[in-house]
Amino acid sequence: MSMIKEFKEFAVKGNVVDMAVGIVIGAAFGKIVSSFVGDVIMPPIGALLGGVDFSSLSIIVKEAVEKKPAVLISYGKFFQTIIDFTIIAFAIFMAVKAINSLRKKEAAVPPAPSKEEILLTEIRDLLKEKK
């Protein structure tokens, strides 16, 4: 029974739930970026390079024989994946950079002293004057 209790505590911890949400959002973001690259970025690049469709670029290693399909090295898909990764990495870099700049601004502003601290400071100053 202890194992189940430990698992329950682990599974409902804030960090685990936050990580799960991050993974789901990251997967959705990856799909968005893949679509952006494949449907928006690559077609104009292909048009500039003479109407090349990157996803269909490949090298035939072995021709198709009867019912067996051809063996291909699909380097066009590889290039597209590299571009996807670069855009995702840049977007994550910019997001982390923005978050870090917000954290620096929050840390730079010291919190206002509480009423108790102000009162204690006044008492200290009054005691210094009496000496």
Side-chain angles (χ1 to χ4, degrees), residues 1-12:
M1 194 66 171
S2 175
M3 179 85 90
I4 294 172
K5 185 178 178 182
E6 285 182 50
F7 177 74
K8 182 180 175 185
E9 288 176 9
F10 169 77
V12 295

Side-chain angles (χ1 to χ4, degrees), residues 6 16 26 34 37 44 46 49 73 76-77 79 82 86 88 93 95-96 100 116-117 122 125 131:
E6 285 182 50
V16 174
S34 293
V37 170
L49 296 175
I73 297 176
K77 290 180 183 178
F79 286 150
I82 289 173
T86 304
I88 291 170
F93 169 74
V96 169
N100 285 340
E116 295 156 344
E117 289 175 322
E122 290 174 2
D125 293 343
K131 286 185 180 183

Side-chain angles (χ1 to χ4, degrees), residues 63-99:
E63 294 288 336
V65 179
E66 296 177 14
K67 292 184 179 181
K68 293 183 180 180
V71 178
L72 303 173
I73 297 176
S74 300
Y75 65 90
K77 290 180 183 178
F78 178 69
F79 286 150
Q80 188 153 348
T81 303
I82 289 173
I83 293 171
D84 284 356
F85 171 77
T86 304
I87 291 173
I88 291 170
F90 182 72
I92 291 172
F93 169 74
M94 293 305 290
V96 169
K97 187 173 179 175
I99 290 169

Side-chain angles (χ1 to χ4, degrees), residues 46-58:
L48 288 173
L49 296 175
V52 177
D53 178 17
F54 281 89
S55 62
S56 66
L57 294 177
S58 61

